[in-house]
Amino acid sequence: MSAASSPAQAPAAEARVRELAEFLWEQSPGHFGGALSKILVSAQTPGARYLDLRLSSYEPMAYVQSHVHDEKEQIYYFVDGEGLLELGRERQVVRGGSFVLIPPGVPHALHNTGLGNLVFLVVTTPTGPR
């Protein structure tokens, strides 16, 4: 096929380097006491279809209440601090270097039980309807 007869294609997504300072801290519903996130990649990011990437920082005593995602998978990768992660009825200490895959349907909550900020990355997929 020539270029003139090829089917219409969506424009290529732009790849570019971004800086953390470009993003504001947000406190999402169900997050309390200084449980903040910077939404780095989401369904609103040009070129992103399936991924959501956030940097989260929870102040001491901050937490997200127990919740469940019916279709979304999540990975939490802990960079610094320590906290208590609830997965269903189990509780486990997490700290810098810990990570967890949370499959769909698993209730989970997270509390900063440490003395400093609990800092972690959250990767979620898919971000919207399949």
Side-chain angles (χ1 to χ4, degrees), residues 54-110:
R54 297 166 190 237
L55 174 66
S56 294
S57 181
Y58 287 18
E59 295 176 9
M61 298 182 0
Y63 66 98
V64 59
Q65 66 188 21
S66 184
H67 62 286
V68 65
H69 305 286
D70 292 332
E71 295 187 21
K72 298 177 181 182
E73 298 174 342
Q74 289 190 307
I75 296 172
Y76 289 5
Y77 176 78
F78 296 92
V79 177
D80 197 19
E82 61 183 9
L84 192 61
L85 178 64
E86 297 177 23
L87 295 169
R89 295 180 184 200
E90 301 292 321
R91 290 180 171 192
Q92 187 160 350
V93 171
V94 292
R95 54 179 52 102
S98 301
F99 68 93
V100 61
L101 167 65
I102 305 171
V106 175
H108 53 285
L110 179 62

Side-chain angles (χ1 to χ4, degrees), residues 27-49:
Q27 187 161 295
S28 298
H31 295 68
F32 302 97
L36 305 175
S37 294
K38 288 186 176 213
I39 302 170
L40 306 176
V41 175
S42 72
Q44 288 71 47
T45 303
R49 298 184 307 176

Side-chain angles (χ1 to χ4, degrees), residues 2-19:
S2 70
S5 63
S6 65
Q9 295 181 346
E14 179 184 334
R16 66 186 190 116
V17 174
R18 304 289 305 268
E19 296 287 333

